[in-house]
Amino acid sequence: MKTLEELRKIREKAQNEMKMRNSESRVKVVVGMGTSGIALGARDVMKAILDEVSNRKLTDVLVTQTGEKGLSSMEPVVDVIEKGKPKITYGNVTPENARKIVVEHIVNGKVVSDLVVATKND
Amino acid sequence: MQDISLHILDILENAISAEAKKIELSINVNEKENILSIRIKDDGKGIDEELLQEVENPFYTTKKERIKKVGLGIPLFKQHALMTDGDFSLKSEKDAGTVINVVFQYDHIDRMPMGDLESTLLNTIFSHPEVDFEIILQRQNSHETKEKFSTSAIRRILGDVPLTYPDVMDFIKENIKRSLKKIKVEEL
Ligand SMILES: Nc1ncnc2c1ncn2[C@@H]1O[C@H](COP(=O)(O)OP(=O)(O)OP(=O)(O)O)[C@@H](O)[C@H]1O
Ligand SMILES: [Mg+2]
């Protein structure tokens, strides 16, 4: 492993930052990672999302994946969940589309309507 | 499924669905013995005996949202291993956990490539920062290389700083990359 000293420095920096803002996440992004999703390219979709989120330092976005997904005909599938808003499900997502979803929907707040396959109020 | 690292991702995600708190992944490549083996152990809710009889067969799933109950992840992995005259075993105990052992014959013409193991590992770690991952990568040819990676060790130092803090993500990424380079994963 890389030096633990380095990790301690990161901790100090992060703790100082965390004191100044609340760390609650604003958006949750869920990528369907069941067998059919994986077979249809969900791993690279996830990779693209993580890449955008980390390059843009979007610390208020929670990115996760789940094997519990049933929309096999529209995989890869990505859910975007924001508090107080309907859950938006994107289907047949490519890595390129995934980057677009991060920029347009998550950063700029505009749903990418042509990629939406379901909208659900909770 | 086109490569082994995609199967590993699938099995890791099964373990997460089973509410595992700790997942151990070991990959061992021994060219002299002509073996590429994978072991994935979790402490999730396990599989009861009745279900255990069936999970290695195609089309078994407990997923409820599907009309047709199709479970393909485990049977496909098994099939791909057996195609190389390898081996597959799944042991599980209700409320204790599950361990899957998969052996491929290393130089068999039907052995799938390892593929993008880096993405499998990073996606899974960053998606489930609350889970402890213990990863052991081992390669034995003329000399032995053994790389260990543990998210619980990292978390101990981080305290209340999350694993998904950007600099921590970079740190983890660099470590995983370096370990994969040491075992020359691109040759696999
Ligand atoms: N690690 C595990 N712990 C507990 N139960 C498991 C584990 N792995 C698999 N199972 C059980 O075995 C079933 C079959 O698994 P399998 O991966 O073959 O299919 P699936 O996950 O149900 O669907 P698919 O993989 O096709 O998306 C699962 O539905 C689950 O009930
Ligand atoms: Mg599965």
Side-chain angles (χ1 to χ4, degrees):
Chain A
M1 268 206 246
K2 214 173 157 183
T3 65
L4 298 178
E5 194 43 49
E6 195 173 328
L7 202 52
R8 284 190 193 96
K9 278 188 199 133
I10 295 174
R11 180 186 64 192
E12 269 167 46
K13 179 186 166 210
Q15 278 170 336
N16 286 331
E17 260 176 48
M18 281 173 4
K19 264 181 229 150
M20 293 188 286
R21 55 169 173 75
N22 72 351
S23 56
E24 214 187 304
S25 49
R26 175 179 63 86
V27 194
K28 185 176 172 189
V29 183
V30 185
V31 181
M33 206 61 69
T35 307
S36 53
I38 293 171
L40 291 168
R43 183 176 63 186
D44 286 344
V45 168
M46 179 69 184
K47 190 183 176 185
I49 294 173
L50 280 172
D51 197 43
E52 288 295 329
V53 166
S54 112
N55 286 343
R56 291 166 189 277
K57 306 227 181 290
L58 306 177
T59 47
D60 57 353
V61 180
L62 184 78
V63 186
T64 189
Q65 65 190 24
T66 175
E68 302 290 329
K69 262 283 168 192
L71 286 169
S72 352
S73 59
M74 295 170 195
E75 229 110 23
V77 166
V78 176
D79 288 338
V80 177
I81 302 155
E82 286 172 276
K83 220 176 245 157
K85 291 187 187 173
K87 173 171 96 179
I88 305 287
T89 302
Y90 294 102
N92 306 308
V93 180
T94 61
E96 203 182 320
N97 285 340
R99 290 180 193 274
K100 197 169 158 187
I101 291 166
V102 173
V103 177
E104 294 191 8
H105 186 162
I106 294 165
V107 177
N108 295 329
K110 261 196 76 195
V111 175
V112 189
S113 347
D114 21 330
L115 301 174
V116 174
V117 294
T119 307
K120 195 180 163 198
N121 286 296
D122 56 0
Chain B
M1 225 54 100
Q2 305 89 324
D3 63 50
I4 295 175
S5 62
L6 288 172
H7 279 299
I8 294 174
L9 173 61
D10 196 22
I11 299 300
L12 291 173
E13 216 46 57
N14 276 351
I16 305 276
S17 299
E19 287 152 29
K21 290 278 152 283
K22 182 179 180 184
I23 302 176
E24 295 168 46
L25 164 70
S26 335
I27 300 176
N28 191 349
V29 181
N30 190 325
E31 274 134 291
K32 241 184 241 152
E33 291 178 18
N34 197 22
I35 272 173
L36 189 163
S37 67
I38 298 137
R39 181 171 180 275
I40 299 164
K41 181 172 185 265
D42 71 63
D43 62 356
K45 64 184 178 202
I47 307 176
D48 62 40
E49 225 155 297
E50 188 189 347
L51 213 157
L52 203 53
Q53 311 288 323
E54 313 207 43
V55 284
E56 290 185 27
N57 305 319
F59 311 125
Y60 191 86
T61 182
T62 54
K63 288 183 178 174
K64 289 191 177 66
E65 73 269 31
R66 288 186 192 164
I67 305 156
K68 222 167 123 196
K69 295 199 164 188
V70 183
L72 276 181
I74 292 170
L76 276 176
F77 202 6
K78 180 181 177 180
Q79 184 198 338
H80 284 142
L82 297 187
M83 264 162 56
T84 70
D85 295 323
D87 197 24
F88 185 97
S89 86
L90 189 157
K91 295 193 184 77
S92 188
E93 202 179 315
K94 191 83 193 130
D95 301 321
T98 302
V99 51
I100 295 183
N101 267 296
V102 190
V103 181
F104 288 85
Q105 220 181 98
Y106 182 72
D107 72 357
H108 197 287
I109 187 148
D110 289 326
R111 203 245 319 150
M112 357 167 64
M114 178 56 75
D116 188 0
L117 185 58
E118 181 187 319
S119 295
T120 283
L121 297 178
L122 294 176
N123 288 6
T124 308
I125 293 169
F126 295 146
S127 294
H128 311 292
E130 72 289 355
V131 175
D132 282 342
F133 291 97
E134 300 276 337
I135 301 166
I136 296 175
L137 305 169
Q138 212 169 351
R139 179 138 186 209
Q140 292 160 284
N141 33 30
S142 45
H143 60 287
E144 186 178 320
T145 315
K146 188 170 181 176
E147 290 290 305
K148 283 189 190 174
F149 179 86
S150 149
T151 54
S152 60
I154 292 177
R155 218 188 325 270
R156 267 199 297 280
I157 294 176
L158 284 178
D160 55 355
V161 175
L163 276 191
T164 50
Y165 181 78
D167 301 49
V168 178
M169 287 173 82
D170 288 342
F171 178 90
I172 291 174
K173 197 169 175 173
E174 268 183 53
N175 270 287
I176 294 279
K177 273 191 168 174
R178 179 181 317 178
S179 290
L180 290 172
K181 207 169 174 180
K182 279 200 184 145
I183 63 153
K184 297 197 170 74
V185 73
E186 71 281 357
E187 295 176 356
L188 308 178

